[in-house]
Amino acid sequence: MDMDRISRVYLVRHGQVVGHDRYRANGHTDVDINEVGKEQMEFLAERLRLTRIQALYSSDLTRTIVGARIIARHHDVTHRILPGLREVYFGEWEGLSLSRIRREYPGELDKRQNDIAGFRPPGGGESIYDLSERVLACYRNILQ
């Protein structure tokens, strides 16, 4: 194995978002992180302060950009924004609360729970399988 080709990858999720207590299907909906989320990212940035980071990527959503920029302050790296790293697209469910989805799409959340990998929300939503294919393709490009 070529030792120059080994990479360590840190996968980080964004901090707590504005409106987190309303249990919304944010997916591609662009919401910011709140003060708690910023504190969470500051804590992580401090933990990674002495870590050798050579590249930094995030999706194009505000919640991930803000977090990535907080981490990047301690490192001399370019922050690259890749839409392919977005969370799952919820279609017609985007931005809706779980209670509203239950009310307006009866039985659909149960269908998703029973087939988490294959179920696609109405309106062109992604399944978890679709999400994994999209993100893994993006990840492979990053590693190259």
Side-chain angles (χ1 to χ4, degrees), residues 66-100:
V66 170
R69 287 182 178 159
I70 291 170
I71 292 170
R73 287 195 306 236
H74 300 300
H75 304 279
D76 186 23
V77 295
T78 301
H79 171 208
R80 293 175 182 89
I81 297 172
L82 303 175
L85 293 175
R86 281 185 174 196
E87 290 191 40
V88 66
Y89 177 59
F90 286 109
E92 292 175 10
W93 295 0
E94 278 291 320
L96 300 182
S97 67
L98 293 181
S99 61
R100 186 168 169 193

Side-chain angles (χ1 to χ4, degrees), residues 16-86:
Q16 188 180 84
V17 297
V18 172
H20 73 94
D21 53 339
R22 290 185 291 260
Y23 304 103
R24 295 193 181 278
N26 286 323
H28 285 200
T29 302
D30 199 13
V31 294
D32 202 349
I33 57 176
N34 61 21
E35 288 307 312
V36 171
K38 289 175 185 168
E39 289 173 14
Q40 292 167 335
M41 297 311 297
E42 292 285 356
F43 177 80
L44 181 59
E46 188 59 35
R47 294 283 311 266
L48 295 172
R49 178 188 274 280
L50 300 178
T51 302
R52 186 169 168 236
I53 294 178
Q54 295 178 295
L56 188 65
Y57 299 87
S58 77
S59 82
D60 60 338
L61 297 173
T62 301
R63 59 189 177 262
T64 62
I65 291 171
V66 170
R69 287 182 178 159
I70 291 170
I71 292 170
R73 287 195 306 236
H74 300 300
H75 304 279
D76 186 23
V77 295
T78 301
H79 171 208
R80 293 175 182 89
I81 297 172
L82 303 175
L85 293 175
R86 281 185 174 196

Side-chain angles (χ1 to χ4, degrees), residues 103-117:
R103 187 174 61 252
E104 294 183 17
Y105 300 88
E108 294 294 296
L109 283 175
D110 292 332
K111 288 179 187 176
R112 183 173 192 264
Q113 190 64 32
N114 291 330
D115 183 15
I116 193 75

Side-chain angles (χ1 to χ4, degrees), residues 55 57 82 85 137-144:
Y57 299 87
L82 303 175
L85 293 175
C138 193
Y139 181 70
R140 285 185 201 101
N141 286 334
I142 289 170
L143 289 179
Q144 289 175 355

